[in-house]
Short mmCIF file of all heavy atoms in Angstrom, two decimals:
data_model
loop_
_atom_site.label_atom_id
_atom_site.label_comp_id
_atom_site.label_asym_id
_atom_site.label_seq_id
_atom_site.Cartn_x
_atom_site.Cartn_y
_atom_site.Cartn_z
N MET A 1 131.68 98.97 105.36
CA MET A 1 132.56 98.19 104.51
C MET A 1 131.78 97.43 103.44
O MET A 1 132.25 97.26 102.31
CB MET A 1 133.37 97.22 105.37
CG MET A 1 134.38 97.90 106.26
SD MET A 1 134.96 96.86 107.60
CE MET A 1 135.57 95.45 106.69
N GLU A 2 130.58 97.00 103.75
CA GLU A 2 129.75 96.33 102.76
C GLU A 2 129.25 97.32 101.71
O GLU A 2 129.22 97.02 100.51
CB GLU A 2 128.59 95.63 103.45
CG GLU A 2 129.02 94.41 104.25
CD GLU A 2 127.89 93.78 105.04
OE1 GLU A 2 126.87 94.48 105.28
OE2 GLU A 2 128.02 92.61 105.43
N VAL A 3 128.87 98.52 102.15
CA VAL A 3 128.34 99.52 101.23
C VAL A 3 129.43 100.04 100.28
O VAL A 3 129.19 100.21 99.08
CB VAL A 3 127.70 100.68 102.02
CG1 VAL A 3 127.38 101.86 101.11
CG2 VAL A 3 126.43 100.19 102.71
N THR A 4 130.64 100.27 100.80
CA THR A 4 131.71 100.78 99.94
C THR A 4 132.27 99.68 99.03
O THR A 4 132.88 99.98 97.99
CB THR A 4 132.88 101.34 100.77
OG1 THR A 4 133.45 100.29 101.57
CG2 THR A 4 132.42 102.49 101.65
N GLY A 5 132.12 98.43 99.42
CA GLY A 5 132.70 97.33 98.66
C GLY A 5 134.02 96.84 99.22
O GLY A 5 134.60 95.89 98.70
N LEU A 6 134.52 97.47 100.29
CA LEU A 6 135.78 97.03 100.88
C LEU A 6 135.71 95.58 101.32
O LEU A 6 136.70 94.84 101.22
CB LEU A 6 136.16 97.93 102.05
CG LEU A 6 137.44 97.57 102.82
CD1 LEU A 6 138.66 97.61 101.90
CD2 LEU A 6 137.65 98.52 104.01
N MET A 7 134.54 95.15 101.81
CA MET A 7 134.41 93.78 102.28
C MET A 7 134.75 92.77 101.20
O MET A 7 135.27 91.68 101.49
CB MET A 7 132.99 93.55 102.80
CG MET A 7 132.83 92.29 103.63
SD MET A 7 133.48 92.49 105.30
CE MET A 7 132.06 93.23 106.10
N ARG A 8 134.50 93.12 99.94
CA ARG A 8 134.78 92.19 98.84
C ARG A 8 136.28 91.97 98.64
O ARG A 8 136.69 91.00 98.00
CB ARG A 8 134.14 92.70 97.55
CG ARG A 8 132.62 92.68 97.56
CD ARG A 8 132.06 92.86 96.16
NE ARG A 8 132.36 94.16 95.61
CZ ARG A 8 131.58 95.24 95.74
NH1 ARG A 8 130.45 95.16 96.44
NH2 ARG A 8 131.91 96.39 95.20
N ASP A 9 137.09 92.88 99.17
CA ASP A 9 138.55 92.75 99.04
C ASP A 9 139.17 91.99 100.20
O ASP A 9 140.40 91.86 100.26
CB ASP A 9 139.19 94.14 98.95
CG ASP A 9 138.84 94.86 97.66
OD1 ASP A 9 138.49 94.19 96.68
OD2 ASP A 9 138.90 96.11 97.66
N LEU A 10 138.34 91.51 101.14
CA LEU A 10 138.84 90.85 102.34
C LEU A 10 138.45 89.37 102.36
O LEU A 10 137.53 88.95 101.67
CB LEU A 10 138.26 91.54 103.59
CG LEU A 10 138.43 93.06 103.67
CD1 LEU A 10 137.72 93.59 104.91
CD2 LEU A 10 139.90 93.44 103.67
N VAL A 11 139.16 88.62 103.18
CA VAL A 11 138.81 87.22 103.44
C VAL A 11 137.99 87.23 104.73
O VAL A 11 138.53 87.45 105.82
CB VAL A 11 140.07 86.35 103.61
CG1 VAL A 11 139.68 84.91 103.90
CG2 VAL A 11 140.95 86.44 102.36
N VAL A 12 136.69 87.02 104.60
CA VAL A 12 135.77 87.14 105.74
C VAL A 12 135.63 85.77 106.42
O VAL A 12 135.33 84.78 105.77
CB VAL A 12 134.40 87.66 105.28
CG1 VAL A 12 133.46 87.79 106.47
CG2 VAL A 12 134.56 89.00 104.57
N ARG A 13 135.86 85.78 107.73
CA ARG A 13 135.83 84.53 108.48
C ARG A 13 135.18 84.74 109.84
O ARG A 13 135.11 85.85 110.35
CB ARG A 13 137.25 83.98 108.71
CG ARG A 13 137.96 83.56 107.45
CD ARG A 13 139.28 82.89 107.78
NE ARG A 13 139.98 82.43 106.59
CZ ARG A 13 141.16 81.83 106.62
NH1 ARG A 13 141.77 81.61 107.78
NH2 ARG A 13 141.74 81.44 105.50
N GLY A 14 134.71 83.65 110.42
CA GLY A 14 134.28 83.61 111.80
C GLY A 14 135.31 82.86 112.62
O GLY A 14 136.45 82.67 112.20
N ALA A 15 134.90 82.41 113.80
CA ALA A 15 135.83 81.69 114.68
C ALA A 15 135.05 80.89 115.71
O ALA A 15 133.88 81.17 115.99
CB ALA A 15 136.76 82.67 115.38
N ASP A 16 135.72 79.90 116.28
CA ASP A 16 135.18 79.19 117.43
C ASP A 16 135.40 80.00 118.69
O ASP A 16 136.25 80.91 118.73
CB ASP A 16 135.87 77.83 117.58
CG ASP A 16 135.62 76.90 116.40
OD1 ASP A 16 134.51 76.98 115.81
OD2 ASP A 16 136.52 76.11 116.07
N LEU A 17 134.66 79.67 119.73
CA LEU A 17 134.92 80.26 121.03
C LEU A 17 136.33 79.88 121.49
O LEU A 17 136.80 78.77 121.21
CB LEU A 17 133.92 79.75 122.07
CG LEU A 17 132.55 80.42 122.17
CD1 LEU A 17 131.73 80.22 120.91
CD2 LEU A 17 131.80 79.89 123.39
N ALA A 18 137.01 80.79 122.16
CA ALA A 18 138.27 80.42 122.80
C ALA A 18 137.98 79.31 123.81
O ALA A 18 136.97 79.34 124.52
CB ALA A 18 138.88 81.63 123.49
N SER A 19 138.85 78.33 123.86
CA SER A 19 138.62 77.19 124.75
C SER A 19 138.89 77.56 126.20
O SER A 19 139.52 78.59 126.51
CB SER A 19 139.53 76.04 124.34
OG SER A 19 140.88 76.34 124.66
N ARG A 20 138.45 76.70 127.09
CA ARG A 20 138.73 76.92 128.51
C ARG A 20 140.25 76.94 128.75
O ARG A 20 140.75 77.76 129.53
CB ARG A 20 138.07 75.83 129.34
CG ARG A 20 138.25 75.96 130.85
CD ARG A 20 137.55 77.18 131.42
NE ARG A 20 137.77 77.28 132.85
CZ ARG A 20 136.82 77.52 133.75
NH1 ARG A 20 135.58 77.71 133.36
NH2 ARG A 20 137.09 77.58 135.03
N ASP A 21 140.99 76.08 128.08
CA ASP A 21 142.45 76.11 128.21
C ASP A 21 143.01 77.45 127.76
O ASP A 21 143.93 78.00 128.41
CB ASP A 21 143.09 74.98 127.40
CG ASP A 21 142.92 73.62 128.04
OD1 ASP A 21 142.55 73.56 129.23
OD2 ASP A 21 143.14 72.61 127.34
N ASP A 22 142.48 77.98 126.66
CA ASP A 22 142.93 79.29 126.18
C ASP A 22 142.71 80.36 127.25
O ASP A 22 143.59 81.17 127.53
CB ASP A 22 142.16 79.70 124.92
CG ASP A 22 142.47 78.84 123.71
OD1 ASP A 22 143.60 78.32 123.62
OD2 ASP A 22 141.58 78.69 122.84
N LEU A 23 141.51 80.35 127.83
CA LEU A 23 141.16 81.38 128.81
C LEU A 23 142.00 81.25 130.07
O LEU A 23 142.40 82.26 130.68
CB LEU A 23 139.67 81.30 129.15
CG LEU A 23 138.69 81.46 127.98
CD1 LEU A 23 137.26 81.40 128.49
CD2 LEU A 23 138.93 82.75 127.22
N GLU A 24 142.28 80.02 130.48
CA GLU A 24 143.00 79.80 131.73
C GLU A 24 144.48 80.17 131.64
O GLU A 24 145.15 80.29 132.67
CB GLU A 24 142.86 78.35 132.18
CG GLU A 24 141.47 78.03 132.72
CD GLU A 24 141.34 76.60 133.22
OE1 GLU A 24 142.38 75.89 133.30
OE2 GLU A 24 140.21 76.19 133.54
N ARG A 25 145.01 80.37 130.43
CA ARG A 25 146.39 80.86 130.32
C ARG A 25 146.49 82.32 130.78
O ARG A 25 147.58 82.80 131.06
CB ARG A 25 146.89 80.74 128.88
CG ARG A 25 147.07 79.31 128.42
CD ARG A 25 147.78 79.25 127.07
NE ARG A 25 147.75 77.89 126.56
CZ ARG A 25 146.84 77.43 125.70
NH1 ARG A 25 145.90 78.25 125.23
NH2 ARG A 25 146.85 76.18 125.31
N VAL A 26 145.35 83.01 130.84
CA VAL A 26 145.33 84.43 131.20
C VAL A 26 144.54 84.67 132.49
O VAL A 26 144.95 85.46 133.34
CB VAL A 26 144.72 85.27 130.05
CG1 VAL A 26 144.52 86.72 130.47
CG2 VAL A 26 145.60 85.19 128.81
N HIS A 27 143.41 83.98 132.65
CA HIS A 27 142.49 84.25 133.76
C HIS A 27 142.44 83.08 134.73
O HIS A 27 142.36 81.92 134.30
CB HIS A 27 141.10 84.55 133.21
CG HIS A 27 141.04 85.75 132.33
ND1 HIS A 27 141.05 87.03 132.82
CD2 HIS A 27 140.99 85.87 130.97
CE1 HIS A 27 141.00 87.89 131.80
NE2 HIS A 27 140.97 87.21 130.67
N PRO A 28 142.45 83.35 136.04
CA PRO A 28 142.38 82.28 137.03
C PRO A 28 141.07 81.50 136.96
O PRO A 28 140.03 82.04 136.58
CB PRO A 28 142.49 83.02 138.37
CG PRO A 28 143.05 84.36 138.05
CD PRO A 28 142.60 84.68 136.66
N VAL A 29 141.14 80.23 137.35
CA VAL A 29 139.96 79.36 137.34
C VAL A 29 138.83 79.97 138.17
O VAL A 29 137.66 79.94 137.77
CB VAL A 29 140.34 77.96 137.87
CG1 VAL A 29 139.09 77.12 138.12
CG2 VAL A 29 141.28 77.26 136.89
N ALA A 30 139.15 80.54 139.32
CA ALA A 30 138.12 81.09 140.20
C ALA A 30 137.34 82.20 139.51
O ALA A 30 136.10 82.28 139.64
CB ALA A 30 138.74 81.60 141.49
N TYR A 31 138.04 83.07 138.76
CA TYR A 31 137.33 84.12 138.04
C TYR A 31 136.45 83.55 136.94
O TYR A 31 135.28 83.92 136.81
CB TYR A 31 138.30 85.15 137.45
CG TYR A 31 137.62 86.01 136.42
CD1 TYR A 31 136.51 86.77 136.77
CD2 TYR A 31 138.02 86.02 135.08
CE1 TYR A 31 135.84 87.54 135.83
CE2 TYR A 31 137.36 86.78 134.15
CZ TYR A 31 136.27 87.54 134.52
OH TYR A 31 135.59 88.28 133.59
N LEU A 32 136.99 82.64 136.17
CA LEU A 32 136.21 82.07 135.07
C LEU A 32 134.99 81.33 135.59
O LEU A 32 133.89 81.42 135.00
CB LEU A 32 137.09 81.14 134.23
CG LEU A 32 138.25 81.83 133.49
CD1 LEU A 32 139.16 80.79 132.86
CD2 LEU A 32 137.73 82.80 132.44
N ASP A 33 135.13 80.61 136.70
CA ASP A 33 133.99 79.90 137.28
C ASP A 33 132.92 80.88 137.75
O ASP A 33 131.72 80.67 137.53
CB ASP A 33 134.45 79.03 138.45
CG ASP A 33 135.20 77.79 138.01
OD1 ASP A 33 135.18 77.46 136.80
OD2 ASP A 33 135.83 77.14 138.87
N ALA A 34 133.34 81.96 138.39
CA ALA A 34 132.38 82.96 138.86
C ALA A 34 131.68 83.65 137.70
O ALA A 34 130.46 83.89 137.74
CB ALA A 34 133.09 83.99 139.74
N PHE A 35 132.42 83.96 136.67
CA PHE A 35 131.86 84.59 135.46
C PHE A 35 130.85 83.66 134.81
O PHE A 35 129.72 84.06 134.49
CB PHE A 35 133.01 84.95 134.52
CG PHE A 35 132.61 85.63 133.23
CD1 PHE A 35 131.35 86.18 133.04
CD2 PHE A 35 133.55 85.75 132.20
CE1 PHE A 35 131.01 86.81 131.84
CE2 PHE A 35 133.23 86.38 131.01
CZ PHE A 35 131.96 86.90 130.83
N LYS A 36 131.20 82.40 134.64
CA LYS A 36 130.30 81.43 133.99
C LYS A 36 129.03 81.24 134.82
O LYS A 36 127.92 81.21 134.26
CB LYS A 36 131.02 80.09 133.83
CG LYS A 36 130.19 79.01 133.12
CD LYS A 36 129.97 79.35 131.66
CE LYS A 36 129.48 78.16 130.84
NZ LYS A 36 128.13 77.72 131.19
N ALA A 37 129.16 81.16 136.13
CA ALA A 37 127.99 80.96 136.98
C ALA A 37 127.05 82.16 136.89
O ALA A 37 125.82 81.99 136.78
CB ALA A 37 128.43 80.72 138.42
N ALA A 38 127.61 83.38 136.93
CA ALA A 38 126.77 84.57 136.83
C ALA A 38 126.12 84.67 135.46
O ALA A 38 124.95 85.07 135.33
CB ALA A 38 127.61 85.82 137.12
N SER A 39 126.87 84.32 134.42
CA SER A 39 126.33 84.33 133.07
C SER A 39 125.16 83.35 132.93
O SER A 39 124.11 83.69 132.37
CB SER A 39 127.45 83.98 132.08
OG SER A 39 126.96 83.80 130.77
N ASP A 40 125.33 82.15 133.45
CA ASP A 40 124.28 81.14 133.37
C ASP A 40 123.04 81.55 134.18
O ASP A 40 121.92 81.13 133.87
CB ASP A 40 124.79 79.79 133.88
CG ASP A 40 125.81 79.15 132.95
OD1 ASP A 40 125.94 79.62 131.80
OD2 ASP A 40 126.48 78.19 133.38
N ALA A 41 123.26 82.36 135.22
CA ALA A 41 122.15 82.78 136.09
C ALA A 41 121.44 84.03 135.57
O ALA A 41 120.54 84.54 136.22
CB ALA A 41 122.68 83.04 137.50
N GLY A 42 121.85 84.53 134.41
CA GLY A 42 121.16 85.67 133.81
C GLY A 42 121.97 86.92 133.68
O GLY A 42 121.50 87.93 133.17
N GLY A 43 123.23 86.89 134.14
CA GLY A 43 124.10 88.05 133.98
C GLY A 43 124.21 88.88 135.24
O GLY A 43 123.71 88.52 136.30
N GLY A 44 124.91 89.99 135.12
CA GLY A 44 125.14 90.85 136.27
C GLY A 44 126.42 91.63 136.09
O GLY A 44 126.83 91.94 134.96
N GLU A 45 127.08 91.92 137.19
CA GLU A 45 128.34 92.64 137.14
C GLU A 45 129.22 92.14 138.28
O GLU A 45 128.85 92.24 139.45
CB GLU A 45 128.13 94.15 137.27
CG GLU A 45 129.41 94.95 137.08
CD GLU A 45 129.18 96.44 136.91
OE1 GLU A 45 128.03 96.89 137.04
OE2 GLU A 45 130.17 97.15 136.64
N ILE A 46 130.38 91.58 137.94
CA ILE A 46 131.29 91.05 138.95
C ILE A 46 132.61 91.81 138.95
O ILE A 46 133.56 91.40 139.58
CB ILE A 46 131.52 89.54 138.76
CG1 ILE A 46 132.06 89.24 137.37
CG2 ILE A 46 130.24 88.76 139.01
CD1 ILE A 46 132.42 87.77 137.15
N GLY A 47 132.64 92.90 138.22
CA GLY A 47 133.84 93.73 138.18
C GLY A 47 133.45 95.18 138.23
O GLY A 47 132.43 95.55 138.82
N GLN A 48 134.22 96.05 137.63
CA GLN A 48 133.95 97.48 137.61
C GLN A 48 133.60 97.90 136.19
O GLN A 48 134.39 97.76 135.27
CB GLN A 48 135.16 98.27 138.09
CG GLN A 48 134.93 99.77 138.13
CD GLN A 48 136.16 100.55 138.56
OE1 GLN A 48 137.25 99.99 138.64
NE2 GLN A 48 136.00 101.83 138.82
#
């Protein structure tokens, strides 16, 4: 998109992280806590 010039026709933006409240509307607290703990410990795999 940068090479063709399409990016110049767009409004380019970033975003903040979704908040914990945002995440908890979809994902249970227990999952988010387990994910955060594994992430802080260096990563891994807690799903499939």
